[in-house]
């Protein structure tokens, strides 16, 4: 029953090191099993989703040797099965990347259908469309996607929807197809580029990642390599929003400013100072922020994974803002939780009208999902009084040492592990 207890009101000031990108690490860990040689991954984020996926590939026979928190050696030579168990998929949707990896290596795979989640139905029709185009037979058998083929052949695939997961999954399988594959309307996120760069380090021949047309020339095999995961733009953006919400001054180290451009632009628009150099960004928010309009879009647009955090900041800004969510169909579940803290937000369809208030007051709130949970912590850091954020398991899936890093920035935040600790806190709080 882990919770965060937060006493808000202190500006966050100081420096924070940004970890490797979770959404790059997950496909890269999956792709690593495509070689029979050892792959060493560096700058791996030590977050639950990554650790769960490492356990999942171990369960199918991959060798996983944890060198340290952020470095792992993976060897796919002795994989004994092509089937990913339901437990793994239940814990982490991104296990679907094992479909592309196992198909690429063995022309066979069986992976549980990933369910929906708090932010939307999240179909995988574009993944299956791509695999079928490569010549794969793929059927839903009792909730499992069972895929097989004698040989994959390159194809010209036009994505109906810009999909990060489908782009990467198809790219992985196509690395081992015979001939050339072209993916049109491909996703351009930095983690798509990182996955392509990793596969090329293993000997794949991928061109155009980061544009909307990716070309893949199939190769006979993929060899081992050492690869460093790209910094996490969403973790970075989350701390940038925390600086904005608390009138703080934070330097983020180990980032790629180019990846943060849409976030930096919005923060400047509402009155933050954002300075940057080759591998750091500094956000200073010295006065009350102004309202603006935000619409989430595929990269390089404003990231959907930053939508809740941006809304929490705008809920404290001067004036009325509009936030439009164009990627997922139900990514506003956190609004009711923010309302408990005094936010004035009205959601209609895929848009939220946010009327800024002077301040939040502390309350008991619950995280509906990973990024919404981070947004509630940001709200708690700026609130008057004590906020208790429940269901922080979601947050731990994607943020490494979240409360430790925030404490180093001056936040009064503690993880509560038991009801007894909560009672002590309530006595201390006088509630
Ligand atoms: C990735 O999810 C990320 N997860 C998500 O981050 C992120 O929100 C999302 O990309 C968009 O950037 C990981 O990388 C592990 P999509 P993914 O396929 O790949 C529709 C986080 O907080 N779609 O790009 O599953 C889909 O419903 C998580 O770290 C189809 O219709 O997202 C959505 O509306 C949350 N058919 C849109 O495309 C498909 O086959 C974008 O989804 C696939 C997707």
């Amino acid at each position: 029953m882990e919770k965060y207890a937060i006493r808000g009101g202190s500006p966050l000031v100081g420096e924070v090191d940004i970890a490797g990108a979770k959404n790059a690490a997950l496909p890269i860990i999956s792709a690593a099993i495509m070689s029979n040689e050892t792959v060493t991954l560096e700058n791996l984020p030590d977050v639950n989703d990554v650790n769960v996926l490492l356990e999942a590939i171990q369960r199918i026979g991959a060798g996983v040797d944890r060198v340290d928190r952020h470095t792992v050696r993976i060897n796919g030579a002795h994989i004994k099965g092509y089937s990913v168990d339901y437990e793994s998929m239940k814990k982490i949707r991104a296990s679907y990347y094992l479909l592309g990896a196992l198909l690429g290596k063995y022309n066979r795979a069986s992976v549980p259908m990933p369910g929906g989640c708090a932010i939307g139905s999240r179909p995988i029709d574009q993944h299956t469309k791509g695999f079928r185009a490569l010549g794969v037979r793929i059927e839903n058998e009792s909730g499992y996607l069972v895929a097989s083929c004698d040989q994959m052949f390159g194809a010209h695939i036009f994505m109906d929807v810009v999909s990060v997961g489908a782009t990467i999954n198809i790219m992985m399988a196509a690395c081992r197809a015979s001939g050339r594959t072209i993916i049109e309307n491909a996703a351009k996120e930095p983690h798509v580029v990182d996955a392509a760069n990793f596969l090329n380090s293993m000997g794949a021949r991928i061109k155009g990642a980061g544009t909307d047309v990716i070309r893949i020339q199939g190769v006979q095999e993929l060899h081992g390599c050492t690869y460093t995961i790209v910094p996490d733009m969403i973790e970075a953006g989350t701390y940038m929003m925390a600086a904005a919400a608390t009138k703080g001054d934070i330097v983020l180290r180990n980032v790629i400013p180019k990846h943060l451009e849409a976030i930096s632009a919005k923060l400047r628009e509402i009155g933050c100072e954002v300075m940057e150099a080759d591998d750091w960004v500094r956000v200073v928010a010295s006065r009350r922020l102004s309202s603006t309009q935000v619409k989430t879009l595929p990269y390089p647009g404003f990231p959907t994974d930053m939508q809740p955090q941006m809304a929490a900041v705008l809920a404290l800004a001067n004036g009325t803002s509009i936030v439009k969510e164009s990627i997922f169909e139900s990514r506003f579940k956190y609004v009711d939780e923010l309302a408990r803290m005094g936010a004035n937000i009205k959601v209609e369809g895929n848009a939220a009208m946010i009327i800024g208030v002077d301040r939040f007051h502390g309350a008991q709130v619950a995280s509906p999902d990973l990024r919404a949970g981070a947004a509630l912590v940001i709200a708690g850091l700026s609130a008057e009084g004590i906020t208790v954020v429940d269901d922080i398991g979601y947050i731990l899936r994607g943020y490494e040492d979240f409360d430790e890093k925030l404490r180093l920035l001056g936040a009064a935040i503690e993880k509560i592990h038991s009801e007894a600790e909560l009672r002590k806190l309530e006595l201390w709080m006088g509630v």
Side-chain angles (χ1 to χ4, degrees):
M1 59 63 74
E2 286 189 314
K3 304 170 190 271
Y4 283 138
I6 304 164
R7 177 189 287 282
S10 325
L12 295 192
V13 179
E15 300 189 352
V16 63
D17 282 321
I18 298 302
K22 163 180 85 81
N23 292 348
L26 296 173
I28 287 172
I29 288 168
S30 305
I33 68 169
M34 295 173 77
S35 170
N36 285 333
E37 297 173 8
T38 296
V39 165
T40 301
L41 300 179
E42 298 169 337
N43 199 36
L44 207 58
D46 184 8
V47 296
N48 290 359
D49 270 10
V50 163
N51 297 328
V52 163
L53 188 59
L54 288 171
E55 288 161 15
I57 64 170
Q58 252 177 327
R59 266 202 294 284
I60 59 173
V64 175
D65 166 26
R66 204 71 188 249
V67 176
D68 62 38
R69 276 192 84 185
H70 301 121
T71 310
V72 70
R73 287 199 196 96
I74 294 170
N75 185 296
H78 304 295
I79 286 179
K80 52 189 182 301
Y82 319 106
S83 180
V84 176
D85 63 287
Y86 178 67
E87 280 314 304
S88 303
M89 181 58 79
K90 221 169 62 171
K91 286 181 194 161
I92 167 174
R93 282 177 49 80
S95 312
Y96 57 47
Y97 283 129
L98 291 172
L99 203 51
L102 290 168
L103 274 172
K105 187 170 186 181
Y106 302 110
N107 287 331
R108 288 177 60 190
S110 164
V111 174
M113 286 285 286
C117 71
I119 61 176
S121 63
R122 306 187 75 181
I124 57 165
D125 59 300
Q126 298 299 301
H127 299 242
T128 49
K129 168 182 175 168
F131 293 138
R132 288 192 175 111
L134 295 172
V136 175
R137 292 176 300 282
I138 185 164
E139 295 304 331
N140 178 349
E141 292 175 17
S142 320
Y144 275 74
L145 279 172
V146 180
S148 67
C149 62
D150 301 326
Q151 164 72 42
M152 279 185 283
F153 294 94
H156 193 160
I157 303 163
F158 201 101
M159 308 302 290
D160 303 320
V161 178
V162 176
S163 161
V164 168
T167 299
I168 295 174
N169 228 348
I170 297 163
M171 187 168 69
M172 255 192 264
C175 285
R176 297 292 314 283
S178 167
R180 190 170 78 146
T181 296
I182 298 175
I183 304 174
E184 305 260 10
N185 200 22
K188 301 185 274 192
E189 274 71 2
H191 28 293
V192 174
V193 177
D194 214 34
N197 291 341
F198 169 69
L199 285 160
N200 283 341
S201 301
M202 292 173 80
R205 293 173 58 191
I206 302 170
K207 287 187 169 51
T211 75
D212 49 10
V213 183
I214 298 178
R215 288 174 170 74
I216 303 120
Q217 184 64 40
V219 295
Q220 280 302 312
E221 64 179 71
L222 296 170
H223 53 69
C225 68
T226 295
Y227 192 79
T228 301
I229 306 283
V230 73
D232 192 322
M233 61 184 266
I234 303 301
E235 184 196 18
T238 301
Y239 285 101
M240 293 166 79
M241 295 294 160
T246 61
K247 294 193 177 55
D249 179 349
I250 297 182
V251 176
L252 296 93
R253 292 188 304 223
N254 183 34
V255 297
I256 297 176
K258 172 102 185 108
H259 294 167
L260 304 170
E261 275 179 351
I263 300 164
S264 301
K266 272 301 158 192
L267 287 175
R268 289 189 179 105
E269 215 173 283
I270 62 175
C272 293
E273 275 180 275
V274 182
M275 293 140 268
E276 59 190 59
D278 52 355
D279 65 351
W280 60 263
V281 164
R282 179 179 176 191
V283 178
V284 183
S286 48
R287 57 183 175 76
R288 183 154 190 218
L289 301 172
S290 316
S291 59
T292 187
Q293 326 297 320
V294 181
K295 179 176 182 182
T296 63
L297 288 169
Y299 191 86
F302 190 88
T304 176
D305 290 348
M306 284 301 306
Q307 182 260 90
Q309 302 92 310
M310 183 83 231
V313 169
L314 294 174
L316 291 164
N318 187 19
T320 300
S321 302
I322 303 286
V323 172
K324 278 199 176 147
E325 172 56 57
S326 75
I327 308 290
F328 290 109
E329 62 264 32
S330 59
R331 199 163 199 172
F332 286 118
K333 288 201 173 70
Y334 63 89
V335 165
D336 293 340
E337 300 300 309
L338 277 182
R340 296 163 56 75
M341 301 178 70
N344 184 353
I345 304 176
K346 187 168 173 45
V347 176
E348 285 196 6
N350 70 343
M353 183 174 71
I354 303 174
I355 300 165
V357 295
D358 293 342
R359 66 184 59 78
F360 290 141
H361 50 74
Q364 301 244 12
V365 291
S367 313
D369 65 75
L370 164 57
R371 305 303 176 183
L376 293 172
V377 169
I378 288 172
L381 291 167
S382 73
E384 271 183 358
I386 305 283
T387 298
V388 176
V389 181
D390 206 344
D391 301 333
I392 64 169
Y394 286 109
I395 301 173
L396 301 177
R397 293 180 52 175
Y399 289 94
E400 179 184 299
D401 297 342
F402 196 38
D403 52 313
E404 293 89 338
K405 290 185 177 182
L406 287 168
R407 274 195 296 278
L408 283 174
L409 293 168
I413 179 171
E414 292 297 335
K415 207 181 279 174
I416 296 178
H417 300 279
S418 69
E419 288 299 339
E421 280 184 62
L422 184 59
R423 269 198 302 281
K424 261 192 261 172
L425 175 81
E426 284 164 349
L427 281 173
W428 174 54
M429 286 160 37
V431 293

